[in-house]
């Protein structure tokens, strides 16, 4: 599930993906830093990744977790940590995806995305279908045609905050994806669930929305068969490629969501 501990290894993985027609998004592993120096180190790793994407002409962008960029130190501090990353993205024309973490961070994460966009940076958020608030957030993003990733949501949330049952989460996932496709916001449909992929692609077809108006996203190493099939069927598909020395929590989440992967 992890491309390697170094940027060189991640670049190798992206080259291999690009050669098959897949796009990539690079994730420097790490989360929840508590001091500015650690946040700045993580930001520097992202600047390096963006420069490499440009230098090698790879079809890739980056995905960033704000707690790794010092969000726990405050929104202003986080924006200041992000400044060199946003500048590198702008210089090299590399889109920056801001991942979504637990619901404690939703407001602050959307605020950071908003403020970066107001300054003209090409960034976009992630919306988690399981959150009750998400239809309202998506309405706003659709109105501004913000490039958004839709996922089910990976953090344990209470029933007041998030749907708990699979069907409700799936229905929300499809309707939020539809809203963003209709708004022509080029959404990213992030899931390994064949039912979600089937429902969203059928809905696009019904509405006359071509495969160039959205993309599917899957995680590195997960359902490679499905990744190949999506490309063969003519869909745009991006693989989330995590790398770095702090791989342990990410790896454990992948095992927890599907214990059979341990085998
Ligand atoms: P599930 O509903 O978990 O499972 C459905 C089916 O998918 C399974 O039966 C199986 O066939 C297949 N499957 C699922 N997981 C695996 C696996 N690990 N190995 C093998 N098969 C599997 N969450 C966030 O909260 N914030 C984010 O910013 C975020 N970004 C993401 C980016 C990408 C590109 C992806 C793919 C996911 C992201 N997620 C994020 C995680 C997401 O919220 C879900 O927790 C995760 O994708 C599991 O839901 P699912 O729809 O893929 O499949």
């Amino acid at each position: 599930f992890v491309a390697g501990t170094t940027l060189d290894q991640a670049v190798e993985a992206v080259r291999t993906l690009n050669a098959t027609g897949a796009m990539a998004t690079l994730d420097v592993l790490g989360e929840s830093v508590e001091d500015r120096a650690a946040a700045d180190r993580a930001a520097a790793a992202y600047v390096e990744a963006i420069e490499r994407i440009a230098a090698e002409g790879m079809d890739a962008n980056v995905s960033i977790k704000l707690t790794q960029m010092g969000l726990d130190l405050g929104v202003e501090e986080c924006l200041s940590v992000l400044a060199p990353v946003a500048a590198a993205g702008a210089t090299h024309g590399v889109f920056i995806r801001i991942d979504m973490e637990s619901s404690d961070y939703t407001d602050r994460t959307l605020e950071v995305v908003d403020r970066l966009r107001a300054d003209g940076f090409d960034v976009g958020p992630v919306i988690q279908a399981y959150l009750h608030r998400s239809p309202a957030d998506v309405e706003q993003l659709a109105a501004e045609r913000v490039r958004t990733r839709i996922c089910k949501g990976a953090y344990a949330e209470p029933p007041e905050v998030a749907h708990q049952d699979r069907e409700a989460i799936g229905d929300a996932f499809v309707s939020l994806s539809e809203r963003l496709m209709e708004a022509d916001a080029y959404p990213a449909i992030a899931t390994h669930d064949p039912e979600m992929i089937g429902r969203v692609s059928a809905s696009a077809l019904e509405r006359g929305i071509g495969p160039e108006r959205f993309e599917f996203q899957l995680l590195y190493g997960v359902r490679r068969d499905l990744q190949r099939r999506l490309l063969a069927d003519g869909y745009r598909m991006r693989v989330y490629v995590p790398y770095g020395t702090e791989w342990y929590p990410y790896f454990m989440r992948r095992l927890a969501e599907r214990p059979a992967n341990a085998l």
Side-chain angles (χ1 to χ4, degrees):
F1 303 125
V2 175
T5 53
T6 66
L7 177 57
D8 281 340
Q9 289 171 308
V11 165
E12 206 41 56
V14 173
R15 276 206 203 103
T16 306
L17 287 165
N18 282 175
T20 68
M23 305 170 286
T25 184
L26 283 176
D27 168 45
V28 182
L29 289 167
E31 36 209 291
S32 290
V33 303
E34 268 143 37
D35 63 277
R36 175 69 193 249
D40 285 335
R41 276 196 301 277
Y46 270 106
V47 170
E48 200 188 347
I50 290 169
E51 287 170 348
R52 261 312 263 292
I53 288 170
E56 309 245 353
M58 296 188 295
D59 194 348
N61 57 38
V62 294
S63 289
I64 299 183
K65 285 190 174 47
L66 291 187
T67 59
Q68 191 188 9
M69 299 286 125
L71 188 56
D72 286 316
L73 308 173
V75 163
E76 299 306 323
E77 194 88 359
C78 180
L79 280 164
S80 134
V81 170
L82 274 170
V85 184
T91 302
H92 298 292
V94 173
F95 173 77
I96 297 173
R97 172 74 63 200
I98 305 294
D99 285 347
M100 192 57 83
E101 301 176 70
S102 76
S103 62
D104 290 343
Y105 295 106
T106 312
D107 277 322
R108 282 174 282 173
T109 302
L110 292 175
E111 182 187 343
V112 168
V113 169
D114 241 19
R115 288 184 49 187
L116 287 170
R117 280 178 37 78
D119 287 341
F121 293 110
D122 190 16
V123 304
V126 176
I127 293 292
Q128 298 154 323
Y130 65 4
L131 294 185
H132 298 311
R133 61 176 285 165
S134 289
D137 289 329
V138 160
E139 220 31 67
Q140 221 170 335
L141 294 162
E144 295 175 36
R145 295 181 60 219
V146 181
R147 186 171 163 182
T148 300
R149 174 195 297 150
I150 298 289
C151 66
K152 287 182 186 167
Y155 299 80
E157 301 285 358
E160 308 82 73
V161 172
H163 296 293
Q164 308 289 314
D165 77 287
R166 216 181 142 67
E167 205 174 321
I169 298 170
D171 289 347
F173 185 98
V174 174
S175 84
L176 298 174
S177 301
E178 285 170 344
R179 181 70 190 93
L180 289 165
M181 287 193 300
E182 275 171 349
D184 210 8
Y186 190 70
I189 315 300
T191 180
H192 312 100
D193 187 342
E195 187 197 333
M196 292 301 107
I197 291 173
R199 286 174 66 185
V200 172
S201 47
S203 168
L205 203 62
E206 250 169 51
R207 291 169 161 72
I209 293 168
E212 72 290 348
R213 283 172 56 189
F214 60 95
E215 67 183 38
F216 287 110
Q217 294 189 347
L218 290 88
L219 302 178
Y220 187 74
V222 178
R223 291 298 309 263
R224 286 196 165 100
D225 57 330
L226 189 52
Q227 298 184 10
R228 279 192 294 269
R229 204 183 76 211
L230 286 168
L231 291 171
D233 288 348
Y235 288 107
R236 295 173 61 80
M237 199 273 299
R238 189 179 302 275
V239 177
Y240 187 102
V241 179
Y243 70 97
T245 51
E246 293 177 48
W247 50 267
Y248 186 78
Y250 177 87
F251 180 67
M252 293 311 284
R253 277 204 299 278
R254 299 289 81 77
L255 294 190
E257 73 196 0
R258 191 164 183 271
N261 283 335
L263 292 173

